[in-house]
Amino acid sequence: MKVHFESCFTDLPESIQLALESVDLNPFFNAHFLSLLEQTGCVSEQNGWQPQHLWIEQNAQPVFYMPLYKKLHSWGEFVFDQSWAQAYRRVGLQYYPKLVTAIPFTPSLGPRWWCVDGNQEQRWLTQAVHSIAERLQQQKLSSWHLLFSHKKPAAEQQTLLARHDTQFHWINRDYQSFDDFLQQLKSRKRKSIRREREKVAEQGVELVRKMAGELQQQDWQQFYHCYCNTYHERGMTPYLTLSFFEQIAQAMTDHLMMVQALRDGMMIGAAIFFFDRDVLYGRHWGALQQVDCLHFEACFYQGIEFCIEKGLKRFDPGTQGEHKLLRGFEPIKTDSWHMIAHGAFHDAIEEYLQAESSQVERYRSTANQYLPFKKQD
């Protein structure tokens, strides 16, 4: 076996790129998504995401791929380790750069490696992790982080520290309509959601859903104005460029949808969703005006309706927010794994994560008690 590291996604062997072109299984662990992030300047060494994609060659054939980035900060990851960096700094050590296997700016459970033969998966994964450990030593990097993987790297339990968190996802239990979903909720919660939706209409706002193929350049320009405005209001710089959105829509015509909020014919807010054959992913939102309950309508209720219409099984609306719980989104466990090169910090972080895991488990258990569904007999 030979292990290679590439500084550009399009330099990967063609067979790997072709294997990752399907959007049906996941829209983010995808050749279009990963390559366009680099081609449009969202991911680059200059903004702290230096690609170092790992792939394995065996018998002159590519057999394994894992996205890998050298990071100079922790922005855009959504598994927060800034306190670890501060601890390193307090004792005079460097936490950055580090290595990260993730989909940039996308806190969504999904695949984090590809292999040509499932029977050899653990063997190649073991080799990949071993090569990453060597790279940490060679380049004097602090750590490697495997984020939001839907598979557990079982063979590497000895060297990787597990970290757990909670997201809120909506589960489609074969609902036939939005009202069918509402009928499963307690009366007070059902009335509250209906009232929130009414408020948006009463404020003169119309919601329109458009598939990527229906969107014109003007739609993307107006959306991007909304998107940037919301970042700027929080004192942040937008992660993604207008060019990325325009090009990913062309590449994923049948797997991207925009919800537009219109007032007097003008777009005052919008939300971007991706979807595969089973899951809807709510990813990007922006608004120009403050409208009571508009975020709930555009980012949650429109998504639920879309899932029901398309027969999608699950709706992942993004990270954080107990407010999702009261609207029928259920707490689910998310996992990440961490390789810490420094022995003493490995032990300290392991102890910290054990305590954190107990807290997260209690939080998820408590959250389940506040779900708005009727009690089943």
Side-chain angles (χ1 to χ4, degrees):
M1 285 188 290
K2 294 182 181 179
V3 178
H4 305 267
F5 295 90
E6 301 290 353
S7 60
C8 180
F9 184 88
T10 54
D11 288 339
L12 290 166
E14 185 179 5
S15 61
I16 292 178
Q17 297 185 53
L18 289 174
L20 296 180
E21 280 194 349
S22 173
V23 186
D24 287 342
L25 297 179
N26 189 273
F28 310 120
F29 188 72
N30 174 273
H32 302 296
F33 195 89
L34 293 170
S35 62
L36 281 174
L37 284 173
E38 296 177 19
Q39 293 171 28
T40 60
C42 304
V43 164
S44 68
E45 184 176 359
Q46 289 69 35
N47 62 23
W49 287 83
Q50 182 178 350
Q52 300 197 350
H53 299 292
L54 181 155
W55 66 280
I56 296 176
E57 175 186 358
Q58 182 172 301
N59 299 326
Q61 296 295 323
V63 297
F64 181 92
Y65 162 71
M66 174 183 282
L68 188 67
Y69 302 90
K70 182 187 284 189
K71 288 295 302 296
L72 305 179
H73 50 66
S74 293
W75 298 109
E77 297 174 19
F78 302 94
V79 176
F80 303 104
D81 61 352
Q82 285 88 341
S83 63
W84 303 359
Q86 292 169 4
Y88 270 66
R89 191 162 52 247
R90 282 197 294 270
V91 297
L93 296 176
Q94 294 283 341
Y95 188 69
Y96 305 109
K98 62 180 184 176
L99 293 178
V100 174
T101 291
I103 308 300
F105 322 118
T106 310
S108 173
L109 288 172
R112 293 298 178 267
W113 60 82
W114 165 87
C115 63
V116 73
D117 181 357
N119 293 324
Q120 297 293 318
E121 179 177 31
Q122 284 303 318
R123 179 184 174 212
W124 292 326
L125 178 60
T126 297
Q127 179 60 57
V129 174
H130 177 71
S131 297
I132 288 172
E134 288 183 337
R135 202 163 182 84
L136 295 185
Q137 295 296 326
Q138 294 166 356
Q139 298 190 3
K140 301 187 185 315
L141 307 175
S142 70
S143 50
W144 170 60
H145 308 266
L146 172 63
L147 308 182
F148 295 106
S149 173
H150 71 178
K151 283 187 178 181
K152 182 177 182 179
E156 305 304 326
Q157 292 182 35
Q158 299 295 321
T159 58
L160 301 182
L161 301 178
R163 190 177 194 184
H164 311 296
D165 204 348
T166 301
Q167 290 184 352
F168 298 92
H169 293 191
W170 183 84
I171 309 300
N172 188 355
R173 293 187 168 83
D174 296 322
Y175 300 118
Q176 300 305 301
S177 65
F178 191 88
D179 193 61
D180 185 23
F181 157 64
L182 289 182
Q183 291 305 316
Q184 309 308 311
L185 307 184
K186 298 173 184 176
S187 174
R188 184 166 61 88
K189 300 300 182 184
R190 185 167 62 245
K191 292 177 181 176
S192 175
I193 290 175
R194 283 176 173 156
R195 182 58 190 142
E196 286 178 345
R197 304 198 78 181
E198 290 169 355
K199 281 183 179 179
V200 175
E202 290 169 357
Q203 294 170 89
V205 177
E206 176 189 7
L207 279 296
V208 176
R209 291 200 296 268
K210 289 185 178 181
M211 295 295 295
E214 303 175 88
L215 297 169
Q216 305 297 317
Q217 186 178 27
Q218 183 180 7
D219 292 298
W220 284 112
Q221 290 172 342
Q222 292 176 347
F223 159 77
Y224 199 69
H225 186 30
C226 297
Y227 171 76
C228 290
N229 183 67
T230 295
Y231 270 88
H232 294 155
E233 286 182 345
R234 298 170 182 168
M236 300 174 64
T237 301
Y239 288 133
L240 302 176
T241 63
L242 174 59
S243 178
F244 171 79
F245 285 114
E246 291 176 332
Q247 292 188 53
I248 200 65
Q250 294 176 10
M252 296 188 180
T253 303
D254 298 325
H255 296 272
L256 186 149
M257 182 265 290
M258 180 189 292
V259 170
Q260 300 179 346
L262 307 176
R263 177 184 267 168
D264 298 326
M266 183 184 82
M267 189 189 299
I268 62 166
I272 296 297
F273 299 79
F274 294 83
F275 59 97
D276 52 37
R277 65 187 182 190
D278 292 322
V279 184
L280 177 70
Y281 306 89
R283 289 275 70 92
H284 306 288
W285 153 258
L288 300 178
Q289 300 177 13
Q290 295 294 324
V291 176
D292 192 16
C293 297
L294 178 57
H295 182 263
F296 301 146
E297 175 64 34
C299 296
F300 301 156
Y301 303 144
Q302 289 290 322
I304 290 174
E305 282 190 342
F306 186 81
C307 283
I308 294 171
E309 291 175 9
K310 299 295 184 181
L312 302 179
K313 299 176 182 178
R314 181 166 56 89
F315 176 16
D316 164 7
T319 60
Q320 305 174 341
E322 289 86 354
H323 56 282
K324 298 169 186 169
L325 182 74
L326 301 179
R327 292 163 178 86
F329 291 80
E330 305 176 30
I332 68 149
K333 180 182 176 185
T334 63
D335 301 305
S336 61
W337 287 269
H338 309 267
M339 178 187 291
I340 309 299
H342 191 285
F345 268 105
H346 175 281
D347 295 343
I349 290 173
E350 182 176 29
E351 183 177 349
Y352 167 81
L353 291 178
Q354 288 173 352
E356 183 187 61
S357 179
S358 298
Q359 295 174 356
V360 170
E361 188 64 36
R362 286 195 296 271
Y363 170 79
R364 196 161 46 249
S365 178
T366 300
N368 271 306
Q369 299 175 23
Y370 288 90
L371 284 168
F373 298 99
K374 299 174 184 175
K375 291 184 178 180
Q376 301 296 320
D377 296 331

